[in-house]
Amino acid sequence: MSFKTAISVFLAYFLLFLGQAWALDVNAVRIGGHAEKERLVVELSGKSQFRAFVLQSPDRIIVDMDDFSWKVGQLSRPSVTLVKDVRFGSLGGGKGRLVIETSTPVIIKSAFAIDKANGQPNRIVVDFAKTSAAMMKEATTQQMGDMNGAAQPKNARMVAPQKDPEPQEKFSPAKAKKLIIIDPGHGGQDPGALGVNGAYEKSIVLAVGLELKKQLEKSGYRVEMTRSTDVFIPLGERVRFARKKGGDLFISLHADSISRSNVTGASVYTLSDKASDKETAKLAERENKSDLIAGIDLSHQETDVADILIDLAARDTMNQSRYLAKTVITTLDSNNVKVLDTKYRSAGFAVLKAMDIPSILVEMGYLTNREEVERLSNSAYRVRIASALKASIDKFFQKK
Ligand SMILES: [Zn+2]
C-alpha cells in the first residue's frame, strides 16, 4: 500500500467515523394530548436505540438515545400541557439526552420507537400522564426502551418551548368516568372458604361487592361486576371480562381460611411471578383452585406470569397495582378494619392477569375465626370495608 493510498484509507475511515458519530438529527419535538394523557413525539433522521424513564426533583422525563444534533426550530406543543421545559445535551460515549421537565409528577404509560414509513420519519414516542409523587417515585426504578447504561448529562442547554398547533398523533378522548371492575370471588358450585358459623366466602364477598358498587356509583364512578348473583365464573373469564370492558381498576374480593383459628385481619395482594412468601404462594394456590372445583380443563393454561411481566407496559401496570395495594392497606387500617400485615404481598394469582389494568386481590379477613366471620356477616362492618375500599380508589385517582 502506497503512502497516498494509506492516507486515503485513513481519511475514508475518519470521515466514516465522523459520519457515524453525528449521524442522528433530532428534527422535531412535538407534544400533544389533553389533561388525561400526553404524548411526546421525537422525530429523528434515522434509527436510534433509546431508553425512557422518570426522575424527581425536579419532576422530569428522560429520553436517552444516540448522540444527536438539535435541528428543532421550535417546539410544537399545545397551549395547555404538563411540559414546562425541554432541555437536551450530550452524555458522552455517543449518547445524547432529552430532558422533559414537567409541572407535576408524571408516569410513563408507554414508550416505543416507530421506523420510518409512509413518508413519516423515524420517531420515538413517549406517552405519559399525571400521577402522584408517590407513584412517580415507584416508577423511577423502571426503564423503557432498548438502550442500557449511560452517564449523567453534562452541559444541557435550555430551550424555551413555544406554542404551536397540536401534533398529528391524536388521542381518543378521556373516558368521562373511571370504570371500576369489582370481582366477587367464587360463586355457584364454588363456595370458596367456609366460615365457622356456616357462612360462605362467596356470599360474603358478593355482599361487600354490591355495597362497594353502590358507594362507587354514588360518587360518580362507573362499575361493572364480574358477577352480581350466585353464579360460577371461571378465573380467565373474569380477566377477559375486565379487559373487554376497558376497566381502569380491577378489585377481586375474597375472604380466607386458615388452620390457626386465632388469625384475623385483612390482607392485600398483587400479581408476581415469584411469590413474596410461602403463605402467599399457598393462598394463590387455594384461590387458583376455583376452576378445578368447577371441573374446568386446565391443560390450556394461560401464559406464565413471568412471560407476561417481560412486557414493559405490564411493569407499569404492576407499579400501579402495588401503589393501589399499599393505599388499600393504609386506608383499611385508618378506617378501623383490622389488617393482618402492613405489607402487601404478591404471588401468581390467576385472576390478576389483566396486565393493562391495575389489579389487586383483597382478602377481607379469616372465616376460620369466629369473631371475624361474624363481623364480616354484619352489614355495618361490610359498609365500613366498602367505604375504606372506595376511599382507596379515590386516593388512587387523586380525587382528594
Ligand atoms: Zn377466595
Side-chain angles (χ1 to χ4, degrees), residues 315-340:
R315 285 193 218 167
D316 174 45
T317 309
M318 292 305 298
N319 283 336
Q320 298 191 48
S321 300
R322 277 196 288 270
Y323 175 72
L324 177 63
K326 284 179 194 168
T327 307
V328 169
I329 289 166
T330 49
T331 314
L332 285 173
D333 196 31
S334 60
N335 280 267
N336 293 320
V337 175
K338 197 199 165 197
V339 292
L340 176 69

mmCIF file with all atom_site columns, all heavy atoms in Angstrom, residues 315-340:
data_model
loop_
_atom_site.group_PDB
_atom_site.id
_atom_site.type_symbol
_atom_site.label_atom_id
_atom_site.label_alt_id
_atom_site.label_comp_id
_atom_site.label_asym_id
_atom_site.label_entity_id
_atom_site.label_seq_id
_atom_site.pdbx_PDB_ins_code
_atom_site.Cartn_x
_atom_site.Cartn_y
_atom_site.Cartn_z
_atom_site.occupancy
_atom_site.B_iso_or_equiv
_atom_site.pdbx_formal_charge
_atom_site.auth_seq_id
_atom_site.auth_comp_id
_atom_site.auth_asym_id
_atom_site.auth_atom_id
_atom_site.pdbx_PDB_model_num
ATOM 1   N N   . ARG A 1 315 ? -45.167 -3.852  33.322 1.00 0.00 ? 315 ARG A N   1
ATOM 2   C CA  . ARG A 1 315 ? -44.429 -3.426  34.519 1.00 0.00 ? 315 ARG A CA  1
ATOM 3   C C   . ARG A 1 315 ? -44.977 -2.119  35.066 1.00 0.00 ? 315 ARG A C   1
ATOM 4   O O   . ARG A 1 315 ? -45.003 -1.896  36.267 1.00 0.00 ? 315 ARG A O   1
ATOM 5   C CB  . ARG A 1 315 ? -42.950 -3.270  34.196 1.00 0.00 ? 315 ARG A CB  1
ATOM 6   C CG  . ARG A 1 315 ? -42.277 -4.613  34.078 1.00 0.00 ? 315 ARG A CG  1
ATOM 7   C CD  . ARG A 1 315 ? -40.793 -4.438  34.073 1.00 0.00 ? 315 ARG A CD  1
ATOM 8   N NE  . ARG A 1 315 ? -40.202 -5.372  33.138 1.00 0.00 ? 315 ARG A NE  1
ATOM 9   C CZ  . ARG A 1 315 ? -38.952 -5.286  32.732 1.00 0.00 ? 315 ARG A CZ  1
ATOM 10  N NH1 . ARG A 1 315 ? -38.201 -4.302  33.156 1.00 0.00 ? 315 ARG A NH1 1
ATOM 11  N NH2 . ARG A 1 315 ? -38.471 -6.175  31.895 1.00 0.00 ? 315 ARG A NH2 1
ATOM 12  N N   . ASP A 1 316 ? -45.402 -1.260  34.163 1.00 0.00 ? 316 ASP A N   1
ATOM 13  C CA  . ASP A 1 316 ? -46.011 -0.004  34.598 1.00 0.00 ? 316 ASP A CA  1
ATOM 14  C C   . ASP A 1 316 ? -47.305 -0.301  35.356 1.00 0.00 ? 316 ASP A C   1
ATOM 15  O O   . ASP A 1 316 ? -47.578 0.270   36.409 1.00 0.00 ? 316 ASP A O   1
ATOM 16  C CB  . ASP A 1 316 ? -46.278 0.886   33.382 1.00 0.00 ? 316 ASP A CB  1
ATOM 17  C CG  . ASP A 1 316 ? -47.041 2.142   33.756 1.00 0.00 ? 316 ASP A CG  1
ATOM 18  O OD1 . ASP A 1 316 ? -46.656 2.762   34.770 1.00 0.00 ? 316 ASP A OD1 1
ATOM 19  O OD2 . ASP A 1 316 ? -48.006 2.488   33.066 1.00 0.00 ? 316 ASP A OD2 1
ATOM 20  N N   . THR A 1 317 ? -48.095 -1.245  34.808 1.00 0.00 ? 317 THR A N   1
ATOM 21  C CA  . THR A 1 317 ? -49.323 -1.645  35.486 1.00 0.00 ? 317 THR A CA  1
ATOM 22  C C   . THR A 1 317 ? -49.001 -2.226  36.861 1.00 0.00 ? 317 THR A C   1
ATOM 23  O O   . THR A 1 317 ? -49.699 -1.972  37.835 1.00 0.00 ? 317 THR A O   1
ATOM 24  C CB  . THR A 1 317 ? -50.086 -2.695  34.650 1.00 0.00 ? 317 THR A CB  1
ATOM 25  O OG1 . THR A 1 317 ? -50.222 -2.200  33.327 1.00 0.00 ? 317 THR A OG1 1
ATOM 26  C CG2 . THR A 1 317 ? -51.452 -2.980  35.235 1.00 0.00 ? 317 THR A CG2 1
ATOM 27  N N   . MET A 1 318 ? -47.913 -3.001  36.942 1.00 0.00 ? 318 MET A N   1
ATOM 28  C CA  . MET A 1 318 ? -47.516 -3.594  38.219 1.00 0.00 ? 318 MET A CA  1
ATOM 29  C C   . MET A 1 318 ? -47.222 -2.517  39.264 1.00 0.00 ? 318 MET A C   1
ATOM 30  O O   . MET A 1 318 ? -47.598 -2.644  40.418 1.00 0.00 ? 318 MET A O   1
ATOM 31  C CB  . MET A 1 318 ? -46.266 -4.461  38.047 1.00 0.00 ? 318 MET A CB  1
ATOM 32  C CG  . MET A 1 318 ? -46.465 -5.710  37.231 1.00 0.00 ? 318 MET A CG  1
ATOM 33  S SD  . MET A 1 318 ? -47.792 -6.736  37.848 1.00 0.00 ? 318 MET A SD  1
ATOM 34  C CE  . MET A 1 318 ? -47.136 -7.116  39.464 1.00 0.00 ? 318 MET A CE  1
ATOM 35  N N   . ASN A 1 319 ? -46.526 -1.462  38.828 1.00 0.00 ? 319 ASN A N   1
ATOM 36  C CA  . ASN A 1 319 ? -46.244 -0.355  39.750 1.00 0.00 ? 319 ASN A CA  1
ATOM 37  C C   . ASN A 1 319 ? -47.535 0.226   40.292 1.00 0.00 ? 319 ASN A C   1
ATOM 38  O O   . ASN A 1 319 ? -47.656 0.526   41.475 1.00 0.00 ? 319 ASN A O   1
ATOM 39  C CB  . ASN A 1 319 ? -45.486 0.764   39.029 1.00 0.00 ? 319 ASN A CB  1
ATOM 40  C CG  . ASN A 1 319 ? -44.032 0.422   38.845 1.00 0.00 ? 319 ASN A CG  1
ATOM 41  O OD1 . ASN A 1 319 ? -43.488 -0.382  39.599 1.00 0.00 ? 319 ASN A OD1 1
ATOM 42  N ND2 . ASN A 1 319 ? -43.409 1.011   37.846 1.00 0.00 ? 319 ASN A ND2 1
ATOM 43  N N   . GLN A 1 320 ? -48.492 0.393   39.385 1.00 0.00 ? 320 GLN A N   1
ATOM 44  C CA  . GLN A 1 320 ? -49.763 0.979   39.793 1.00 0.00 ? 320 GLN A CA  1
ATOM 45  C C   . GLN A 1 320 ? -50.517 0.034   40.725 1.00 0.00 ? 320 GLN A C   1
ATOM 46  O O   . GLN A 1 320 ? -51.145 0.474   41.684 1.00 0.00 ? 320 GLN A O   1
ATOM 47  C CB  . GLN A 1 320 ? -50.603 1.300   38.563 1.00 0.00 ? 320 GLN A CB  1
ATOM 48  C CG  . GLN A 1 320 ? -49.937 2.332   37.666 1.00 0.00 ? 320 GLN A CG  1
ATOM 49  C CD  . GLN A 1 320 ? -50.886 2.845   36.609 1.00 0.00 ? 320 GLN A CD  1
ATOM 50  O OE1 . GLN A 1 320 ? -52.017 3.205   36.911 1.00 0.00 ? 320 GLN A OE1 1
ATOM 51  N NE2 . GLN A 1 320 ? -50.446 2.861   35.373 1.00 0.00 ? 320 GLN A NE2 1
ATOM 52  N N   . SER A 1 321 ? -50.448 -1.276  40.432 1.00 0.00 ? 321 SER A N   1
ATOM 53  C CA  . SER A 1 321 ? -51.113 -2.255  41.293 1.00 0.00 ? 321 SER A CA  1
ATOM 54  C C   . SER A 1 321 ? -50.509 -2.222  42.694 1.00 0.00 ? 321 SER A C   1
ATOM 55  O O   . SER A 1 321 ? -51.223 -2.254  43.694 1.00 0.00 ? 321 SER A O   1
ATOM 56  C CB  . SER A 1 321 ? -50.977 -3.666  40.713 1.00 0.00 ? 321 SER A CB  1
ATOM 57  O OG  . SER A 1 321 ? -51.561 -3.740  39.434 1.00 0.00 ? 321 SER A OG  1
ATOM 58  N N   . ARG A 1 322 ? -49.180 -2.156  42.752 1.00 0.00 ? 322 ARG A N   1
ATOM 59  C CA  . ARG A 1 322 ? -48.505 -2.108  44.060 1.00 0.00 ? 322 ARG A CA  1
ATOM 60  C C   . ARG A 1 322 ? -48.910 -0.857  44.828 1.00 0.00 ? 322 ARG A C   1
ATOM 61  O O   . ARG A 1 322 ? -49.157 -0.901  46.024 1.00 0.00 ? 322 ARG A O   1
ATOM 62  C CB  . ARG A 1 322 ? -46.984 -2.128  43.867 1.00 0.00 ? 322 ARG A CB  1
ATOM 63  C CG  . ARG A 1 322 ? -46.420 -3.517  43.680 1.00 0.00 ? 322 ARG A CG  1
ATOM 64  C CD  . ARG A 1 322 ? -44.922 -3.505  43.891 1.00 0.00 ? 322 ARG A CD  1
ATOM 65  N NE  . ARG A 1 322 ? -44.238 -2.857  42.789 1.00 0.00 ? 322 ARG A NE  1
ATOM 66  C CZ  . ARG A 1 322 ? -43.817 -3.504  41.708 1.00 0.00 ? 322 ARG A CZ  1
ATOM 67  N NH1 . ARG A 1 322 ? -44.002 -4.795  41.598 1.00 0.00 ? 322 ARG A NH1 1
ATOM 68  N NH2 . ARG A 1 322 ? -43.203 -2.863  40.744 1.00 0.00 ? 322 ARG A NH2 1
ATOM 69  N N   . TYR A 1 323 ? -48.980 0.257   44.104 1.00 0.00 ? 323 TYR A N   1
ATOM 70  C CA  . TYR A 1 323 ? -49.374 1.517   44.743 1.00 0.00 ? 323 TYR A CA  1
ATOM 71  C C   . TYR A 1 323 ? -50.801 1.407   45.280 1.00 0.00 ? 323 TYR A C   1
ATOM 72  O O   . TYR A 1 323 ? -51.093 1.820   46.406 1.00 0.00 ? 323 TYR A O   1
ATOM 73  C CB  . TYR A 1 323 ? -49.257 2.666   43.738 1.00 0.00 ? 323 TYR A CB  1
ATOM 74  C CG  . TYR A 1 323 ? -49.756 3.975   44.282 1.00 0.00 ? 323 TYR A CG  1
ATOM 75  C CD1 . TYR A 1 323 ? -49.026 4.662   45.250 1.00 0.00 ? 323 TYR A CD1 1
ATOM 76  C CD2 . TYR A 1 323 ? -50.965 4.516   43.857 1.00 0.00 ? 323 TYR A CD2 1
ATOM 77  C CE1 . TYR A 1 323 ? -49.483 5.848   45.770 1.00 0.00 ? 323 TYR A CE1 1
ATOM 78  C CE2 . TYR A 1 323 ? -51.430 5.707   44.372 1.00 0.00 ? 323 TYR A CE2 1
ATOM 79  C CZ  . TYR A 1 323 ? -50.689 6.376   45.326 1.00 0.00 ? 323 TYR A CZ  1
ATOM 80  O OH  . TYR A 1 323 ? -51.157 7.547   45.843 1.00 0.00 ? 323 TYR A OH  1
ATOM 81  N N   . LEU A 1 324 ? -51.683 0.817   44.472 1.00 0.00 ? 324 LEU A N   1
ATOM 82  C CA  . LEU A 1 324 ? -53.073 0.639   44.902 1.00 0.00 ? 324 LEU A CA  1
ATOM 83  C C   . LEU A 1 324 ? -53.135 -0.264  46.133 1.00 0.00 ? 324 LEU A C   1
ATOM 84  O O   . LEU A 1 324 ? -53.845 0.031   47.097 1.00 0.00 ? 324 LEU A O   1
ATOM 85  C CB  . LEU A 1 324 ? -53.898 0.046   43.752 1.00 0.00 ? 324 LEU A CB  1
ATOM 86  C CG  . LEU A 1 324 ? -55.361 -0.271  44.066 1.00 0.00 ? 324 LEU A CG  1
ATOM 87  C CD1 . LEU A 1 324 ? -56.140 0.992   44.411 1.00 0.00 ? 324 LEU A CD1 1
ATOM 88  C CD2 . LEU A 1 324 ? -56.023 -0.983  42.884 1.00 0.00 ? 324 LEU A CD2 1
ATOM 89  N N   . ALA A 1 325 ? -52.365 -1.358  46.106 1.00 0.00 ? 325 ALA A N   1
ATOM 90  C CA  . ALA A 1 325 ? -52.359 -2.299  47.234 1.00 0.00 ? 325 ALA A CA  1
ATOM 91  C C   . ALA A 1 325 ? -51.932 -1.595  48.519 1.00 0.00 ? 325 ALA A C   1
ATOM 92  O O   . ALA A 1 325 ? -52.570 -1.734  49.568 1.00 0.00 ? 325 ALA A O   1
ATOM 93  C CB  . ALA A 1 325 ? -51.428 -3.473  46.927 1.00 0.00 ? 325 ALA A CB  1
ATOM 94  N N   . LYS A 1 326 ? -50.861 -0.805  48.427 1.00 0.00 ? 326 LYS A N   1
ATOM 95  C CA  . LYS A 1 326 ? -50.382 -0.082  49.611 1.00 0.00 ? 326 LYS A CA  1
ATOM 96  C C   . LYS A 1 326 ? -51.437 0.899   50.105 1.00 0.00 ? 326 LYS A C   1
ATOM 97  O O   . LYS A 1 326 ? -51.656 1.040   51.309 1.00 0.00 ? 326 LYS A O   1
ATOM 98  C CB  . LYS A 1 326 ? -49.102 0.692   49.273 1.00 0.00 ? 326 LYS A CB  1
ATOM 99  C CG  . LYS A 1 326 ? -47.878 -0.191  49.183 1.00 0.00 ? 326 LYS A CG  1
ATOM 100 C CD  . LYS A 1 326 ? -46.666 0.656   48.829 1.00 0.00 ? 326 LYS A CD  1
ATOM 101 C CE  . LYS A 1 326 ? -45.496 -0.213  48.405 1.00 0.00 ? 326 LYS A CE  1
ATOM 102 N NZ  . LYS A 1 326 ? -44.422 0.584   47.801 1.00 0.00 ? 326 LYS A NZ  1
ATOM 103 N N   . THR A 1 327 ? -52.081 1.588   49.150 1.00 0.00 ? 327 THR A N   1
ATOM 104 C CA  . THR A 1 327 ? -53.112 2.559   49.511 1.00 0.00 ? 327 THR A CA  1
ATOM 105 C C   . THR A 1 327 ? -54.270 1.872   50.221 1.00 0.00 ? 327 THR A C   1
ATOM 106 O O   . THR A 1 327 ? -54.777 2.373   51.226 1.00 0.00 ? 327 THR A O   1
ATOM 107 C CB  . THR A 1 327 ? -53.628 3.282   48.247 1.00 0.00 ? 327 THR A CB  1
ATOM 108 O OG1 . THR A 1 327 ? -52.506 3.807   47.546 1.00 0.00 ? 327 THR A OG1 1
ATOM 109 C CG2 . THR A 1 327 ? -54.571 4.417   48.595 1.00 0.00 ? 327 THR A CG2 1
ATOM 110 N N   . VAL A 1 328 ? -54.685 0.707   49.713 1.00 0.00 ? 328 VAL A N   1
ATOM 111 C CA  . VAL A 1 328 ? -55.803 -0.017  50.331 1.00 0.00 ? 328 VAL A CA  1
ATOM 112 C C   . VAL A 1 328 ? -55.426 -0.437  51.755 1.00 0.00 ? 328 VAL A C   1
ATOM 113 O O   . VAL A 1 328 ? -56.208 -0.274  52.691 1.00 0.00 ? 328 VAL A O   1
ATOM 114 C CB  . VAL A 1 328 ? -56.209 -1.243  49.481 1.00 0.00 ? 328 VAL A CB  1
ATOM 115 C CG1 . VAL A 1 328 ? -57.168 -2.149  50.249 1.00 0.00 ? 328 VAL A CG1 1
ATOM 116 C CG2 . VAL A 1 328 ? -56.854 -0.790  48.171 1.00 0.00 ? 328 VAL A CG2 1
ATOM 117 N N   . ILE A 1 329 ? -54.208 -0.933  51.935 1.00 0.00 ? 329 ILE A N   1
ATOM 118 C CA  . ILE A 1 329 ? -53.789 -1.383  53.268 1.00 0.00 ? 329 ILE A CA  1
ATOM 119 C C   . ILE A 1 329 ? -53.828 -0.231  54.272 1.00 0.00 ? 329 ILE A C   1
ATOM 120 O O   . ILE A 1 329 ? -54.406 -0.347  55.349 1.00 0.00 ? 329 ILE A O   1
ATOM 121 C CB  . ILE A 1 329 ? -52.370 -2.003  53.213 1.00 0.00 ? 329 ILE A CB  1
ATOM 122 C CG1 . ILE A 1 329 ? -52.435 -3.356  52.501 1.00 0.00 ? 329 ILE A CG1 1
ATOM 123 C CG2 . ILE A 1 329 ? -51.804 -2.188  54.623 1.00 0.00 ? 329 ILE A CG2 1
ATOM 124 C CD1 . ILE A 1 329 ? -51.092 -3.907  52.088 1.00 0.00 ? 329 ILE A CD1 1
ATOM 125 N N   . THR A 1 330 ? -53.250 0.917   53.898 1.00 0.00 ? 330 THR A N   1
ATOM 126 C CA  . THR A 1 330 ? -53.228 2.033   54.853 1.00 0.00 ? 330 THR A CA  1
ATOM 127 C C   . THR A 1 330 ? -54.627 2.582   55.092 1.00 0.00 ? 330 THR A C   1
ATOM 128 O O   . THR A 1 330 ? -54.945 2.997   56.203 1.00 0.00 ? 330 THR A O   1
ATOM 129 C CB  . THR A 1 330 ? -52.296 3.174   54.382 1.00 0.00 ? 330 THR A CB  1
ATOM 130 O OG1 . THR A 1 330 ? -52.602 3.483   53.027 1.00 0.00 ? 330 THR A OG1 1
ATOM 131 C CG2 . THR A 1 330 ? -50.846 2.781   54.473 1.00 0.00 ? 330 THR A CG2 1
ATOM 132 N N   . THR A 1 331 ? -55.468 2.567   54.046 1.00 0.00 ? 331 THR A N   1
ATOM 133 C CA  . THR A 1 331 ? -56.815 3.119   54.212 1.00 0.00 ? 331 THR A CA  1
ATOM 134 C C   . THR A 1 331 ? -57.692 2.198   55.056 1.00 0.00 ? 331 THR A C   1
ATOM 135 O O   . THR A 1 331 ? -58.467 2.663   55.890 1.00 0.00 ? 331 THR A O   1
ATOM 136 C CB  . THR A 1 331 ? -57.475 3.384   52.844 1.00 0.00 ? 331 THR A CB  1
ATOM 137 O OG1 . THR A 1 331 ? -56.532 4.037   52.002 1.00 0.00 ? 331 THR A OG1 1
ATOM 138 C CG2 . THR A 1 331 ? -58.710 4.252   52.982 1.00 0.00 ? 331 THR A CG2 1
ATOM 139 N N   . LEU A 1 332 ? -57.573 0.883   54.855 1.00 0.00 ? 332 LEU A N   1
ATOM 140 C CA  . LEU A 1 332 ? -58.321 -0.059  55.699 1.00 0.00 ? 332 LEU A CA  1
ATOM 141 C C   . LEU A 1 332 ? -57.913 0.164   57.153 1.00 0.00 ? 332 LEU A C   1
ATOM 142 O O   . LEU A 1 332 ? -58.752 0.292   58.044 1.00 0.00 ? 332 LEU A O   1
ATOM 143 C CB  . LEU A 1 332 ? -58.012 -1.512  55.294 1.00 0.00 ? 332 LEU A CB  1
ATOM 144 C CG  . LEU A 1 332 ? -58.645 -2.058  54.014 1.00 0.00 ? 332 LEU A CG  1
ATOM 145 C CD1 . LEU A 1 332 ? -58.082 -3.436  53.693 1.00 0.00 ? 332 LEU A CD1 1
ATOM 146 C CD2 . LEU A 1 332 ? -60.164 -2.128  54.114 1.00 0.00 ? 332 LEU A CD2 1
ATOM 147 N N   . ASP A 1 333 ? -56.604 0.239   57.358 1.00 0.00 ? 333 ASP A N   1
ATOM 148 C CA  . ASP A 1 333 ? -56.048 0.402   58.698 1.00 0.00 ? 333 ASP A CA  1
ATOM 149 C C   . ASP A 1 333 ? -56.597 1.655   59.374 1.00 0.00 ? 333 ASP A C   1
ATOM 150 O O   . ASP A 1 333 ? -57.033 1.619   60.523 1.00 0.00 ? 333 ASP A O   1
ATOM 151 C CB  . ASP A 1 333 ? -54.514 0.467   58.582 1.00 0.00 ? 333 ASP A CB  1
ATOM 152 C CG  . ASP A 1 333 ? -53.839 0.250   59.925 1.00 0.00 ? 333 ASP A CG  1
ATOM 153 O OD1 . ASP A 1 333 ? -54.412 -0.492  60.749 1.00 0.00 ? 333 ASP A OD1 1
ATOM 154 O OD2 . ASP A 1 333 ? -52.758 0.822   60.141 1.00 0.00 ? 333 ASP A OD2 1
ATOM 155 N N   . SER A 1 334 ? -56.623 2.774   58.639 1.00 0.00 ? 334 SER A N   1
ATOM 156 C CA  . SER A 1 334 ? -57.077 4.028   59.248 1.00 0.00 ? 334 SER A CA  1
ATOM 157 C C   . SER A 1 334 ? -58.598 4.094   59.349 1.00 0.00 ? 334 SER A C   1
ATOM 158 O O   . SER A 1 334 ? -59.147 5.015   59.929 1.00 0.00 ? 334 SER A O   1
ATOM 159 C CB  . SER A 1 334 ? -56.528 5.225   58.466 1.00 0.00 ? 334 SER A CB  1
ATOM 160 O OG  . SER A 1 334 ? -56.976 5.180   57.138 1.00 0.00 ? 334 SER A OG  1
ATOM 161 N N   . ASN A 1 335 ? -59.308 3.108   58.760 1.00 0.00 ? 335 ASN A N   1
ATOM 162 C CA  . ASN A 1 335 ? -60.771 3.064   58.878 1.00 0.00 ? 335 ASN A CA  1
ATOM 163 C C   . ASN A 1 335 ? -61.225 1.957   59.833 1.00 0.00 ? 335 ASN A C   1
ATOM 164 O O   . ASN A 1 335 ? -62.344 1.460   59.737 1.00 0.00 ? 335 ASN A O   1
ATOM 165 C CB  . ASN A 1 335 ? -61.413 2.863   57.509 1.00 0.00 ? 335 ASN A CB  1
ATOM 166 C CG  . ASN A 1 335 ? -61.490 4.168   56.726 1.00 0.00 ? 335 ASN A CG  1
ATOM 167 O OD1 . ASN A 1 335 ? -62.478 4.873   56.777 1.00 0.00 ? 335 ASN A OD1 1
ATOM 168 N ND2 . ASN A 1 335 ? -60.413 4.496   56.033 1.00 0.00 ? 335 ASN A ND2 1
ATOM 169 N N   . ASN A 1 336 ? -60.329 1.573   60.730 1.00 0.00 ? 336 ASN A N   1
ATOM 170 C CA  . ASN A 1 336 ? -60.648 0.567   61.743 1.00 0.00 ? 336 ASN A CA  1
ATOM 171 C C   . ASN A 1 336 ? -61.054 -0.784  61.183 1.00 0.00 ? 336 ASN A C   1
ATOM 172 O O   . ASN A 1 336 ? -61.893 -1.472  61.746 1.00 0.00 ? 336 ASN A O   1
ATOM 173 C CB  . ASN A 1 336 ? -61.753 1.071   62.683 1.00 0.00 ? 336 ASN A CB  1
ATOM 174 C CG  . ASN A 1 336 ? -61.259 2.225   63.525 1.00 0.00 ? 336 ASN A CG  1
ATOM 175 O OD1 . ASN A 1 336 ? -60.117 2.210   63.999 1.00 0.00 ? 336 ASN A OD1 1
ATOM 176 N ND2 . ASN A 1 336 ? -62.099 3.239   63.686 1.00 0.00 ? 336 ASN A ND2 1
ATOM 177 N N   . VAL A 1 337 ? -60.460 -1.133  60.046 1.00 0.00 ? 337 VAL A N   1
ATOM 178 C CA  . VAL A 1 337 ? -60.598 -2.505  59.569 1.00 0.00 ? 337 VAL A CA  1
ATOM 179 C C   . VAL A 1 337 ? -59.263 -3.162  59.884 1.00 0.00 ? 337 VAL A C   1
ATOM 180 O O   . VAL A 1 337 ? -58.214 -2.686  59.454 1.00 0.00 ? 337 VAL A O   1
ATOM 181 C CB  . VAL A 1 337 ? -60.866 -2.562  58.050 1.00 0.00 ? 337 VAL A CB  1
ATOM 182 C CG1 . VAL A 1 337 ? -60.876 -4.002  57.570 1.00 0.00 ? 337 VAL A CG1 1
ATOM 183 C CG2 . VAL A 1 337 ? -62.184 -1.873  57.722 1.00 0.00 ? 337 VAL A CG2 1
ATOM 184 N N   . LYS A 1 338 ? -59.295 -4.226  60.666 1.00 0.00 ? 338 LYS A N   1
ATOM 185 C CA  . LYS A 1 338 ? -58.033 -4.824  61.099 1.00 0.00 ? 338 LYS A CA  1
ATOM 186 C C   . LYS A 1 338 ? -57.263 -5.397  59.913 1.00 0.00 ? 338 LYS A C   1
ATOM 187 O O   . LYS A 1 338 ? -57.810 -6.138  59.102 1.00 0.00 ? 338 LYS A O   1
ATOM 188 C CB  . LYS A 1 338 ? -58.296 -5.936  62.119 1.00 0.00 ? 338 LYS A CB  1
ATOM 189 C CG  . LYS A 1 338 ? -57.022 -6.278  62.870 1.00 0.00 ? 338 LYS A CG  1
ATOM 190 C CD  . LYS A 1 338 ? -57.040 -7.614  63.553 1.00 0.00 ? 338 LYS A CD  1
ATOM 191 C CE  . LYS A 1 338 ? -55.594 -7.963  63.931 1.00 0.00 ? 338 LYS A CE  1
ATOM 192 N NZ  . LYS A 1 338 ? -55.425 -9.367  64.230 1.00 0.00 ? 338 LYS A NZ  1
ATOM 193 N N   . VAL A 1 339 ? -55.999 -5.005  59.794 1.00 0.00 ? 339 VAL A N   1
ATOM 194 C CA  . VAL A 1 339 ? -55.180 -5.593  58.736 1.00 0.00 ? 339 VAL A CA  1
ATOM 195 C C   . VAL A 1 339 ? -54.171 -6.553  59.350 1.00 0.00 ? 339 VAL A C   1
ATOM 196 O O   . VAL A 1 339 ? -53.631 -6.323  60.422 1.00 0.00 ? 339 VAL A O   1
ATOM 197 C CB  . VAL A 1 339 ? -54.463 -4.526  57.869 1.00 0.00 ? 339 VAL A CB  1
ATOM 198 C CG1 . VAL A 1 339 ? -55.455 -3.750  57.038 1.00 0.00 ? 339 VAL A CG1 1
ATOM 199 C CG2 . VAL A 1 339 ? -53.632 -3.597  58.714 1.00 0.00 ? 339 VAL A CG2 1
ATOM 200 N N   . LEU A 1 340 ? -53.963 -7.650  58.634 1.00 0.00 ? 340 LEU A N   1
ATOM 201 C CA  . LEU A 1 340 ? -53.113 -8.730  59.121 1.00 0.00 ? 340 LEU A CA  1
ATOM 202 C C   . LEU A 1 340 ? -51.667 -8.285  59.182 1.00 0.00 ? 340 LEU A C   1
ATOM 203 O O   . LEU A 1 340 ? -50.921 -8.607  60.086 1.00 0.00 ? 340 LEU A O   1
ATOM 204 C CB  . LEU A 1 340 ? -53.261 -9.920  58.161 1.00 0.00 ? 340 LEU A CB  1
ATOM 205 C CG  . LEU A 1 340 ? -52.381 -11.135 58.412 1.00 0.00 ? 340 LEU A CG  1
ATOM 206 C CD1 . LEU A 1 340 ? -52.798 -11.840 59.684 1.00 0.00 ? 340 LEU A CD1 1
ATOM 207 C CD2 . LEU A 1 340 ? -52.463 -12.097 57.241 1.00 0.00 ? 340 LEU A CD2 1
#
